[in-house]
Amino acid sequence: MARTSSARSGGPRSGGPRSGAPRSGGPRSGGDERQDGGELVDRLVSVNRVAKVVKGGRRFGFSALVVVGDGKGRVGYGSGKAREVPEAVRKATEQAKRGMIRVPLRQGRTLHHDIQGHFGAGRVVLRAAPAGTGIIAGGPMRAVFEALGINDVVAKSIGTSNPHNMVKATFDALGNMMSPRSVAARRGKKVGDIIGRREGNDGRAEAAI
């Protein structure tokens, strides 16, 4: 009499993989880029996986850092936490959209002046650059500049490499950026006086070199 054995059917065991999420938590910096409705571009800067030890095993969660911009001078950042990566990214994107700021750009491609930014242990230095320089920055700062729409900039991070602190320090610097129009209005002068003085200083610097 033939016997049918189902004990060794080769099916999945009850103690199989806990989740299908990547062990490393996804890209750490300069991650995915997506178009949102043809207007906003969101960059996934980092995804971090955390584990909480509970009775019966470990409970995993994910935190995401996202930068959103329109490529025309408006940019924002946000962070979100959830049990799954897509939900964490969605929360971070929504927070970034709510906190967008406008940054004045010179000729729509670079910064008006050099500036520094601080946040916690993070410190960044941003410098305006001539046309054709490109974006010389790494990691989270590059994602911010690309979402903002800057084409020429030189940036350096001095301090921590934590992506959250680097992004917040970059936004601290961008938030203090001033255009010639705002400076002229505050000082009671004409825009031509401010721009002429700046161009004259650039000319003298080039002559000295």
Side-chain angles (χ1 to χ4, degrees), residues 5-20:
S5 175
S6 60
R8 300 180 179 276
S9 59
R13 298 175 58 187
S14 60
R18 289 183 294 271
S19 64

Side-chain angles (χ1 to χ4, degrees), residues 60-174:
F60 293 96
F62 298 90
S63 63
L65 178 62
V66 175
V67 175
V68 175
D70 62 354
K72 300 177 182 179
R74 295 179 65 241
V75 67
Y77 73 95
S79 59
K81 298 179 181 179
R83 296 290 299 274
E84 300 294 338
V85 175
E87 182 65 15
V89 172
R90 186 192 66 80
K91 291 182 178 180
T93 303
E94 293 297 328
Q95 182 180 358
K97 292 179 182 179
R98 292 193 300 265
M100 296 183 70
I101 63 173
R102 180 169 295 278
V103 180
L105 300 179
R106 182 180 181 183
Q107 300 176 357
R109 60 169 185 83
T110 188
L111 305 175
H112 281 287
H113 54 84
D114 302 348
I115 195 169
Q116 297 183 7
H118 303 267
F119 185 87
R123 177 187 174 191
V124 297
V125 179
L126 312 182
R127 303 191 65 182
T133 302
I135 301 177
I136 302 180
M141 289 191 295
R142 172 178 290 273
V144 175
F145 296 142
E146 290 178 350
L148 181 60
I150 293 180
N151 298 324
D152 305 296
V153 66
V154 177
K156 178 66 178 179
S157 174
I158 305 173
T160 181
S161 60
N162 185 299
H164 290 266
N165 286 343
M166 290 178 64
V167 169
K168 292 178 181 179
T170 304
F171 271 81
D172 177 67
L174 295 176

Side-chain angles (χ1 to χ4, degrees), residues 18-44:
R18 289 183 294 271
S19 64
R23 184 174 182 84
S24 62
R28 300 292 298 183
S29 62
D32 300 335
E33 179 179 358
R34 297 182 299 173
Q35 293 282 347
D36 186 7
E39 297 180 357
L40 299 179
V41 177
D42 60 281
R43 292 293 306 269
L44 178 61

